[in-house]
Amino acid sequence: MKNITIIGGGLVGSLLAIFLAKRGHRVNVFERRPDPRRTNVYAGRSINLVVSHRGWTALKAAGVNEAVERIVVPVYARMTHAPDGTLTRLPYSIDERAIHSVSRAELNKVLLTEAEKLPNVKLHFEHRCTGVHLDTGTCMFHNEATGEASATPADVVFGSDGAGSAVRQELMRTRFTFSQTYIEHDYKEIAFPPNADGTPRMDPHCLHIWPRRWFMMMGLANQDGGFTGTLFMPHEGEFSFDRITDEKDLMRFFEEHFRDAIPMLPDLAEQYFRNPQSNLAIIRCAPWTYGGKVALIGDAAHAIVPFYGEGMNAGYEDCKVLNDLLNVHGDDNWSAVLDAYGKARKPNGDAIADLSMRNFVEMRDLVADPRFILRKKIEGRLQQRHPDKWLPLYSQVKFSDIGYLDAWNEGLRHDRIMEEVLAMPGIEEKWESEEVERKVLGLLEH
Ligand SMILES: Cc1cc2nc3c(=O)[nH]c(=O)nc-3n(C[C@H](O)[C@H](O)[C@H](O)COP(=O)(O)OP(=O)(O)OC[C@H]3O[C@@H](n4cnc5c(N)ncnc54)[C@H](O)[C@@H]3O)c2cc1C
């Protein structure tokens, strides 16, 4: 049994605490912010997110899936909103499998409560980590409420302290590779309230997307009948946040691009000018571990853009893989466990970063493109008829445990095949034919 310090009690740190405590370790979680169950610390941060297969696999392995199932809304399809208001429903999978929308705050609260039920977990709120002795595992803290400084020794330290990780900052003093890339798009959240009678204004079981090539808006249901809308747009340039300086600009912009959303957003201008505009960055780093003492996990190791809705799911998969490796190597051989963990997860962290950027292009651009919709139909048919031979990339990422890197490589192979298929003369008419099917099967053999 080890003394384990977890820095950051957010979405990943709280689940990690449960995994490690259930193995018998003594776990101390230090979280910079106050307890979200007692204060509204989540105000102003992204309101909901999607849990998908990998997330569920980890939640199940930790024995907390049932507590989370109570707070989710299933989402079975994308619903695209064309500029003229035309709606197109695109199921995520042929068998209507769902991803699940959940409130970030509620999820965090549930996991903290589950962690706290375990006698060997101690949660320390308002404790900001200010430094880590990498060789001894001693962490230094600043108490945000009292201003006091303290230090806590540990056998193993996990940095699950998000994109701005203090633990990663400490690793930067060693032979550590790091990159942070901002994308040109920022985001702003705008809430769609429910109708006066509490009913939702759109189908809650769809992820609503307004793809507009250079920018896009999406809407994801909350349990209260409302939706969280997120507008993704460059921060400068022709279509950008910079160009919207007053209510007139805003309404003109919405009239032109998101007209059907206007009646659903009664306080659009107030929200738009009140809510923060946040940026998006991709963080890659290596190595994720230091000896058998320190490891990064979740966004601290691999912050990605949110377009696949996989950041947290990837972090949950990190926890599950770590737990599996403890099963293999035992709970006393942390050098072997952390070494294997870093080797297993780093390539997949890089792959999901690439996949997420790819899905951005797909969401803002391609879902409005008839060729893309045709490709989805062909892929759906292939999957239905040859489930052992064709699993679309989206399903690999969202509905399977296939490693992100393997999914990425398979996705590139699918692109090459589909390019040839979509170039077949008359493909629009014959996409359901034997000829097309034979062509794909032939190309798959190569
Ligand atoms: C707009 C948007 C939408 C998203 N949608 C999805 C989605 O649909 N699905 C999905 O899977 N992912 C999504 N993500 C990604 C997801 O939010 C992150 O991957 C996830 O929050 C990572 O969890 P984490 O615990 O690693 O980090 P965080 O959630 O950032 O938690 C880190 C915690 O550490 C604490 N902390 C930070 N520094 C210190 C310190 N020095 N000392 C002590 N504590 C500290 C913080 O207060 C925080 O509580 C989205 C992200 C964004 C921005």
Side-chain angles (χ1 to χ4, degrees):
M1 186 200 306
K2 299 285 180 198
N3 288 312
I4 297 182
T5 287
I6 297 179
I7 307 294
L11 299 178
V12 172
S14 50
L15 182 66
L16 180 64
I18 296 168
F19 268 115
L20 294 175
K22 285 194 171 176
R23 304 189 68 88
H25 298 292
R26 272 189 298 269
V27 180
N28 280 292
V29 180
F30 294 90
E31 166 57 46
R32 176 179 64 182
R33 293 177 301 178
D35 188 341
R37 295 165 298 177
R38 300 206 168 83
T39 50
N40 190 14
V41 295
Y42 272 99
R45 291 197 68 200
S46 94
I47 293 165
N48 58 14
L49 33 68
V50 162
V51 189
S52 48
H53 177 80
R54 293 165 208 266
W56 286 118
T57 305
L59 291 165
K60 258 180 220 151
V64 291
N65 54 306
E66 285 178 13
V68 178
E69 277 160 20
R70 286 181 214 120
I71 56 167
V72 300
V73 179
V75 176
Y76 300 96
R78 297 159 160 157
M79 183 78 86
T80 61
H81 295 236
D84 66 1
T86 307
L87 299 179
T88 308
R89 186 178 185 277
L90 283 170
Y92 280 123
S93 74
I94 46 162
D95 47 357
E96 292 267 321
R97 289 186 67 179
I99 55 178
H100 294 85
S101 171
V102 68
S103 149
R104 179 187 285 272
E106 291 310 311
L107 178 57
N108 197 190
K109 288 182 204 173
V110 163
L111 293 181
L112 289 171
T113 299
E114 293 298 316
E116 215 165 37
K117 283 181 191 164
L118 302 166
N120 45 342
V121 172
K122 207 155 177 241
L123 305 177
H124 309 261
F125 292 100
E126 297 183 83
H127 276 70
R128 177 166 56 86
C129 176
T130 52
V132 182
H133 279 305
L134 297 175
D135 293 314
T136 64
T138 296
C139 299
M140 277 65 73
F141 298 99
H142 173 85
N143 187 313
E144 303 281 86
T146 64
E148 278 165 39
S150 59
T152 301
D155 298 313
V156 184
V157 176
F158 283 95
S160 55
D161 48 348
S165 171
V167 179
R168 194 184 60 230
Q169 199 60 37
E170 205 68 57
L171 290 169
M172 302 267 269
R173 297 175 201 270
T174 67
R175 276 180 66 85
F176 188 75
T177 304
F178 170 78
S179 78
Q180 174 170 289
T181 311
Y182 284 98
I183 65 166
E184 62 168 328
H185 287 67
D186 285 356
Y187 73 93
K188 187 186 278 282
E189 287 183 324
I190 299 168
F192 290 68
N195 289 312
D197 63 359
T199 53
R201 294 175 190 244
M202 300 184 281
D203 181 346
H205 301 299
C206 290
L207 175 83
H208 293 264
I209 311 179
W210 289 256
R212 299 293 182 263
R213 194 164 284 259
W214 309 118
F215 53 95
M216 70 169 187
M217 184 165 71
M218 49 175 270
L220 188 60
N222 294 310
Q223 268 197 322
D224 66 359
F227 284 76
T228 301
T230 314
L231 176 60
F232 295 96
M233 202 158 57
H235 60 96
E236 59 182 15
E238 190 183 348
F239 299 108
S240 68
F241 285 109
D242 271 10
R243 292 285 169 97
I244 300 176
T245 55
D246 57 26
E247 191 167 339
K248 243 163 88 200
D249 294 343
L250 176 71
M251 294 319 293
R252 207 180 305 124
F253 179 73
F254 264 70
E255 285 286 351
E256 193 177 340
H257 302 292
F258 307 124
R259 181 174 299 183
D260 67 334
I262 295 174
M264 299 188 274
L265 294 166
D267 57 348
L268 169 62
E270 193 205 324
Q271 285 200 65
Y272 184 92
F273 291 107
R274 186 191 59 218
N275 293 352
Q277 175 185 330
S278 307
N279 50 43
L280 294 166
I282 302 162
I283 290 175
R284 296 173 199 260
C285 62
W288 290 6
T289 61
Y290 183 88
K293 273 266 172 234
V294 179
L296 300 174
I297 194 159
D299 273 20
H302 50 76
I304 60 177
V305 290
F307 305 112
Y308 238 120
E310 278 293 293
M312 173 196 66
N313 288 290
Y316 283 0
E317 195 173 56
D318 292 343
C319 296
K320 160 84 168 54
V321 168
L322 183 82
N323 192 54
D324 292 346
L325 290 168
L326 284 163
N327 287 339
V328 173
H329 297 281
D331 286 73
D332 285 318
N333 194 359
W334 282 87
S335 293
V337 168
L338 295 189
D339 186 48
Y341 160 78
K343 286 197 174 111
R345 294 307 289 162
K346 162 72 180 156
N348 286 305
D350 288 342
I352 190 57
D354 293 337
L355 283 160
S356 300
M357 272 314 287
R358 177 195 162 112
N359 213 44
F360 183 28
V361 176
E362 190 164 313
M363 284 177 87
R364 70 172 202 229
D365 190 353
L366 300 179
V367 286
D369 175 351
R371 305 278 297 171
F372 172 79
I373 293 170
L374 177 61
R375 173 175 168 170
K376 286 277 158 194
K377 285 198 225 158
I378 298 171
E379 288 198 71
R381 184 166 186 276
L382 282 169
Q383 187 188 4
Q384 204 151 32
R385 294 176 60 85
H386 303 281
D388 53 327
K389 295 206 168 81
W390 193 279
L391 187 60
L393 177 60
Y394 189 87
S395 296
Q396 293 185 50
V397 173
K398 298 301 280 185
F399 300 124
S400 90
D401 299 306
I402 296 168
Y404 289 126
L405 181 58
D406 291 340
W408 174 240
N409 288 330
E410 186 65 0
L412 294 177
R413 192 163 82 107
H414 284 182
D415 285 351
R416 290 191 291 273
I417 292 173
M418 280 297 140
E419 215 168 286
E420 287 199 35
V421 170
L422 289 168
M424 289 169 80
I427 184 67
E428 286 81 2
E429 287 76 45
K430 66 180 179 193
W431 65 271
E432 285 180 289
S433 67
E434 295 257 321
E435 182 195 345
V436 170
E437 196 174 319
R438 268 199 312 274
K439 168 108 179 164
V440 175
L441 295 179
L443 289 168
L444 274 172
E445 301 284 297
H446 290 103

